Amino acid sequence: MKDIEWAKINKDVLASLESPRPLFWVVIAVCFTLVLAGVAAEAYQYNYGLGTALMNRPHYWQLYISNFVFWIGMSHSGTLLSAILLLTKADWRKPIYRFAEAMTLFSILTAAIFPVIHLGRVWDMYWVLPYPNERTIWPNFRSPLLWDAAAITTYATSSALFLYVGMIPDLAICRDNAKGWRKKLYTAMSLGWMGRATEWVAFRKTYVLLACFLVPLAVSVHSIVASDFAMSMVPDWHITSFPPYFVAGALYSGCAAIITLFVMLRYLFRFEAYMTTEIMDKTVKLTFAIAMVWNFLNLGEYAAIWYSNDMFEKEVLIQKFIGPYAPVVWGMLLCATVAPFAMAFEKFRHNMWAMFWLSLVLQLGMWLERFQIVSPPLASNHMPWTWAVVWPGTIQMTLTVASFGWFTMLFLIFCKIFPSVSMYEVKEMVFHRRIASSRDEMEDISKIKDEVMQTEVGLK
Amino acid sequence: MALKRMLENWSRLRQHDYYADEPYMWGMSIDLNKCTGCGACVTACYAENNLPVVGKEHCGSGHSMHWMRIERFWTEPEDNPDVDIEEATDHPERGAHYLPMMCQQCNHAPCEPVCPVAATYHTPDALNAQVYNRCVGSRYCGNNCPFKVRYFNFFDFWNELPHPLEMQLNPDVTVRSKGIMEKCTFCVQRIRSAKDAAEDAGHHDHVEDGTLLTACQQSCPTQAIVFGNLKDEDSKVKRGWESHQVELEHFEQDKSEDVRGYRVFEELNVEPCVMYLDRVRDTEA
Amino acid sequence: MDENKSNSENKQESANKQELNSGWSRRGFLKVMGLGGAGSALVLTGCGDTDIINAVDIEVRKEKVLPNVDPQDFVRPGVEMYYASTCRQCPAGCGVHARIREGRVLKLEGNPASKINHGRLCPMGQAGLQAHYNPDRLTKPLLRKGGKLVEISWDQAEDVLIKHLARKNAKLAWLSGAISGHHAALIDAYLAAADSKNNYVFDTLPPTVGHAVNEEMFGAAMPRLDFDKAQLIVSFGADFLGTWMSPVQFAAQYANFRNAPRGTLVQIEPKMTLTGANADRWIPARPGSEGHLALALASLLAQSSEYASRIPASVVASLKAVNIDEIASLTDVPAERIHKLHHLLTSRSPSLVLSGPSAEGVPHGTETARVIQMLNVMLGNVGKTILPRGKSPFPNLMPRMGGWAEAKSMLDDLNSGKIDTAVVFGSNPLYQAPDFMQAEKAFAKAKFRVSFSMFPDETSMACDLVLPIHSYLEEWNTTAPAYAAEDGYLGIQQPVMNPVFGEGGTRAFGDVLLAVLKHMDTNYNQWDNYQAYVTNALWTMRPALVNPPKPSVPGQTEEEAFHQGVMATGFVHMQVEKAPDIQARVSAVSLPKEKQNTQYPFRLIPSARLGLWDGRHANLPWLQELPDQLAEVVWDSWVEIHPKTAEKLGVITGDVVNVASAAGKVDVKVVVFPGIHKDAIAIPLGQGHTEYGRYAKGVGVNPFSILTAKFDKNSGELATYATDVKLTRVADRGKLVTLKHGDLVLESNTSRQAGRDLVKTTTADKFDHSEKEA
Amino acid sequence: MRQRINMTWSSKLVWMVLIAAMGCLLPLSAWADDVSNDPQPIEFPHDRHAGKFKINCMYCHTFARRSMVAGIPPVAKCIGCHQHLPSVRDKPRIKKLFTYWEQKKPIPWLKVHDMPDFVYFTHKRHIQRFIFKDGRPTQQVCGMCHGDVKTFSVGQKVRAMTMGWCLSCHTQFQGKSDIGKPAPAARWMIPTAATDKPVMQVEFPQPAVLDPEHPVTMKNSVIKKMTEHLPAKIKDHIVHAPHDCWQCHK
């Protein structure tokens, strides 16, 4: 197979900023409508009170929290793909890590909406932050929600930084080729990148350091989200294995999301040459592995509850399978436990659109998983007198759908403005491949270097 | 400076029994032998604590606000060979099981550590406080409460209160707006004014037992509810706890078999301040 | 709060009040409500803004403070005060302390000194505040002009009233609800002046049949019952903890009864009442067969000479014919259970056998009550737990409970044209009377109809002149309780605050009627107003009182001291002659055997509950939101059906069924409910108002409306528990609402304790043993 | 060239962030005291009554010592004195007063000190403590919160009355090191009545609510032990102000 032409990389990627397929605009329009619907729903809820969302006692938490977990979870695979695979020097990540990182950032931004709109008094949300005030009151440092606030802000900042730093060389390329407002934007953002050797050295160091910082951070963030549940005493939330279970689940749904976006971007921005079947194959294999880890932890959790013989927890477990929320649980098992086995087949793995739909199924499964983490334990809590079933109402569903619109909109706008495929890293990948192949052809390495230089300066 | 203080205080605060020598610890006991389930306490609480009437629609969506509620069960907790109906019948021939349930003012309250803004905390007189104006409505406390006795203002229920019903509102108790969690306070306004009255009378740190009644206790037709200071050796409630061998800090009571005292969900080690006394049925009847 | 404090304070307050009596009702001091900025309980909004930018949010010179013009010592801003008065939410007449701040009543609490309720108060008493502050209260007199009620001024209203009422009119009829004290006396005086003998009293819940039988057998309508002494109470449907006579008083006695050595309660009734829910043994008897069960017990007792000797031999002979097995199948109570009950009755003494509405509300109600009371005689309870009642020195102040018979005869008189003017006070026959009585039609026949009412109820809205009256918290009065464990109790009512709707709004019933009387009898000019009438009457009653208050402060006159003392206590005790021992009169009873009605296979039980009572409290939101003690439903009507019956009919909780009797039908939602006999269905009373304000109107159905015309033969009372109905399913699940969640269908899951130790139960033996140790 | 543009953009960004941050902090300094200029129905001269004639505050505000509110005097109280003061009878304010009296109408005063509805403040405890127990001059004690009223004509709000301001007294005694340190005089004194020495030898306290489970940062028993050896003069005056959210919010 013919490798990517060196000279075409810049052109292809830069072209993606200008002329996506028309479907792009349709998707943007749909997403924007969803966002507007979400804004309207939130305005209504803000005015009339949270009761409009149809949560109640004992269902004090519902979709907002499960969406929050879902979106935070989704952000993890971006870090995994870029940071962990960077550190493990997996070259195949290079064409796809940029959008994965963007996905990380935007899913955090989406996730961050939910704890806010979920508050009873949104207008007092900043009280959660420790800031000096004349009343000499601090927030409660023991509350997992406070850790959440800290973790999310840290994670959002770091992943934004990571995305941005990794993008600087590409921004410089864009700067050199852009006009108008784009020129100003890229100029400001590329921080005067000239591509000097010293710059590259500093850049490499920074990037790797950031990656080292981000990996434990990502793990800790979802562990903290897990402690929102695990630190409480609601039966079936109060589980020690929740942090790893959540992290695995996060990576699982995130990888599925990457597959979805992979196929979508490939089509919308005509990245067929970059996002190849081999990369898809590797991504899917990774997803499959993570799916199995998650399944192991999930089944392990069931076993732990069953053998613990704790009255309260067992009750919830039984209710999960035969109670009113059983369709959700069985749906989850179907989508997230059974469906991933399709990934074991190579033919399937190499079919882009099949993978697109499968990844959506996996994500649905993981979304249901988050719902069944939040709702059934509250429904059959300690106090049987309060047992009740509540299905999320229109407002909650609207905001959920709107969050998907919001995320996709932000993501696509990002891809429209910034290079969603890392140009310099793809070049590096091609370079590595060439070296590998040129060893066979006994080609002079300096010749390649010359070619590289010429391209960069624009001679070719 | 502030940080140094903070660390200093932090370590001090971790001590167990921090409030051991405070003069008050409010506690309650409810005798299920006497409770008839009539609901006088429920209405008294509505009147005393400015609880909103939410109407049928909101009751239907689970948004009702009733700090004190009477739970009704038809069955025994498990097979109780003593009291079980000897023959299988189609009727609850042993009557109903009533459980008045309000905030248990736990000493290891699960709601307290999870509040992000510290709107709920423990007062030195062992009350589980809820500061309405600090609450941001994360509802974490409500989830974490095993008794599910925290009630969230899903709407501004007071907006619809027609004149002149608002004239009944108790000025000592804040009227809560939407987005705020609330719960039984053991009638803290009465506690505070009883302390105030004791201060006026020159009794520092001593509220005479029986001079302070919670609204539910006061209205209870059978006087099934007893409320008082658990630190006062002579108080009725303390004597009740002692004679029924319930100790606050234990989650498994070491007591003789026939004694009736127990606390709901004691095994969760939340140290509730409300003791219940077994319901009684005559097996010869 | 502080019982002693409030007592002594009471004295002071009423002292102050006495001084200011003249000015009391004239000053619009409601205006001082916000006085001094006492934490006005406004809605907490924007409270979040108190953090960094606090100062901006706090209002300076925005809100008004209106101090009094004259200092009024009984209004101390920020300081609460207690006034003693009497509750009139039901005929029980409990003593209350009203908590007042800034001239507003905030809470009603029991009067600890009262022998009726010992400082406790039931939900209905608590909710009296909402009757007082009800947004649907009438605030202007209404006169029917051109078929419509239009607002008029009080001056006009008085003119109309005097024109129609202040004259001799033998065709005038007066209908009041259960009534006592000086209201009753004043109405008597008026009717005497008007030369009318048509004084009707109608209330739905008081056990009229039971009273008649008591009168017949024990010589007192309501002998004193001693729950404390009883070791065993066997109650045939008397819901003494919920709706029977004086629930708070009985509950207090019940609490003592349950102390070690613990008394045992057996409740026999077709539908579980609140009392049944607390019984040690609840026995579901087939509706209407309670008398037979009592007869079986009597015949078993009669086998022993100890019991048989207490009743005439002829009666004993008549009991011989009773066949226990036959009765077992008739009552659907196993013979073994009857024998056990017999054993219990013989082994626990003294006991107390009560007869309640579900036993008495059948065509053979009088006979049933007689058999039940005969058990008391046989068991020797008379004189031990059933004590004689002394004759009151003021019989015209004693409670009159009335009954269906009186309502029936009034409606008949209306229909036959014997009455041309009808006055209604405190009763609501257009809601309470069953459809077959056609109360509306009868009322339409009267030429002029006057209603004294606080609320726009069904009857008032059908009247020609509606006079808005004060709530019981705004007026002077006296009230004798329906039942008092001690003889001679008379509750005093005093206004605890200025009228909510001010001077031009409502007026005291007593004042209005007194004004009419003054036009008819100049003797009444000696009293300026009803307050003067009541206080003078009390002063003249003084010699007949137990320990009338004496001056304690120098400079106080005898009369001042008396009034202050009386007002501070909230009640007086009249001297009552010691009653002679009861000589029970027992006669032989024969009970008819009811046949199964094949067309209408179920017996309808219009169950009353502590809360909405007979429907008079349906306009109080607190009581609408107080869940039914057994079904836990709020804000609705429902029909309780036994699970087995429901299975047979193919209905589940929430389904809508049509309940049809020979007299009418209603559509109502099902609650599958284990505490009911399989042949019975129960629809709670209280809902189904077509008027009565925003909280009551259009909620649920009214089971009164479909009662059939069956009457107790001896007393002429309507047999309320004798309506046969059939059920047809008409629609799928509707929404039935409880306080816990919206969907009652799930309730089948949650009425169990799911393995948790929520309500633990122990046995009475262990209880007695451990209490003795403690 | 490119470099220069870069700098401009970056610095613009920095400035924008800084300005935005300042904007957020701005309300902090907005201690607007008297935000409304609506006139009182009668310009009541506190300076004459409390200043010139030295009438005790509690002569008119009679409820301060026995109720949570201080109380506004009834019209009859004003008339009680003023009907015997013919010298000022013709003054427009007094005429207005008599008009209210004759019409038997309450005077619609405008509230000057208004707490939010969720704040429970009781005058009684403070008056009992500082005037009756400590024997401080009335005007000084009232002045702690209400300012030097005898210099005012119409009542004004001179203290912010924010929670932090309340806490400046109510913050608990923190530890041994606090003893002997001067209290912030401003907290205690009003400008012209600063004749009294501060008694509460506590330095300005540190943030106290660290752990919501234990808002009382030092137990009374510990304070007692620490202050045992102090001379009675100081010991008796150590204020045990409640430091518990539920004291004022409930």
Side-chain angles (χ1 to χ4, degrees), chain A residues 46-52 54-61 64 118-125 127-128 135 137-146 227-229 231-234 237 311-312 378 381-386, chain B residues 6 10 14 61-64 66 69-73 99 101 110 112-118 132-140 142-144 146-148 150-152 154-156 177-181 264-265 267-268 270:
Chain A
Y46 184 99
N47 266 328
Y48 292 97
L50 259 175
T52 53
L54 280 193
M55 277 180 270
N56 67 8
R57 186 187 70 258
H59 289 266
Y60 280 135
W61 288 1
Y64 296 150
H118 149 274
L119 283 187
R121 300 206 293 170
V122 182
W123 47 95
D124 290 332
M125 149 198 104
W127 286 355
V128 176
R135 291 161 302 164
I137 293 181
W138 297 96
N140 180 8
F141 294 106
R142 297 182 301 170
S143 169
L145 287 187
L146 201 69
S227 22
D228 283 351
F229 299 93
M231 299 291 277
S232 76
M233 62 187 296
V234 178
W237 282 7
M311 171 175 60
F312 303 115
L378 291 176
N381 57 60
H382 286 101
M383 181 53 88
W385 194 83
T386 63
Chain B
M6 218 157 120
W10 193 282
R14 300 279 89 204
S61 33
H63 297 155
S64 52
H66 44 113
R69 66 184 188 225
I70 310 271
E71 300 182 359
R72 191 266 291 122
F73 302 101
L99 181 69
M101 180 50 73
E112 285 166 13
V114 298
C115 175
V117 291
Y132 306 126
N133 46 318
R134 176 69 175 166
C135 178
V136 295
S138 78
R139 307 192 292 295
Y140 201 162
N143 280 343
N144 216 17
F147 306 94
K148 292 287 175 277
R150 293 182 146 261
Y151 300 89
F152 185 70
F154 279 100
F155 295 96
D156 262 333
S177 64
K178 72 178 173 205
I180 292 170
M181 192 59 91
V264 175
F265 297 146
E267 66 272 31
L268 298 177
V270 291

Side-chain angles (χ1 to χ4, degrees), chain D residues 71-85:
Chain D
I72 310 277
V75 187
K77 189 138 219 164
C78 311
I79 299 297
C81 291
H82 274 277
Q83 63 188 354
H84 302 303
L85 296 172

Side-chain angles (χ1 to χ4, degrees), chain B residues 108-170:
Chain B
H108 286 174
C111 52
E112 285 166 13
V114 298
C115 175
V117 291
T120 179
Y121 71 96
H122 225 65
T123 69
D125 44 356
L127 293 174
N128 188 227
Q130 173 72 22
V131 184
Y132 306 126
N133 46 318
R134 176 69 175 166
C135 178
V136 295
S138 78
R139 307 192 292 295
Y140 201 162
C141 53
N143 280 343
N144 216 17
C145 173
F147 306 94
K148 292 287 175 277
V149 287
R150 293 182 146 261
Y151 300 89
F152 185 70
N153 283 275
F154 279 100
F155 295 96
D156 262 333
F157 293 115
W158 293 107
N159 284 354
E160 292 120 40
L161 195 71
H163 177 76
L165 272 178
E166 84 287 347
M167 286 169 77
Q168 185 274 327
L169 295 178
N170 187 353

Side-chain angles (χ1 to χ4, degrees), chain A residues 57 121 123-124 126-127 131 134-135 311-312 315 319 324 380-389, chain C residues 44 46-52 54 632 739-742 746 749-750 752-758:
Chain A
R57 186 187 70 258
R121 300 206 293 170
W123 47 95
D124 290 332
Y126 61 94
W127 286 355
Y131 65 98
E134 58 107 32
R135 291 161 302 164
M311 171 175 60
F312 303 115
E315 180 90 50
Q319 286 297 316
S380 21
N381 57 60
H382 286 101
M383 181 53 88
W385 194 83
T386 63
W387 287 0
V389 177
Chain C
L44 192 156
C47 66
D49 294 334
T50 44
D51 44 312
I52 2 181
N54 205 346
E632 298 200 314
L739 271 195
K740 43 185 173 175
H741 46 64
L746 286 156
N749 285 329
T750 56
R752 65 191 173 92
Q753 299 190 32
R756 280 89 161 142
D757 282 338
L758 297 172

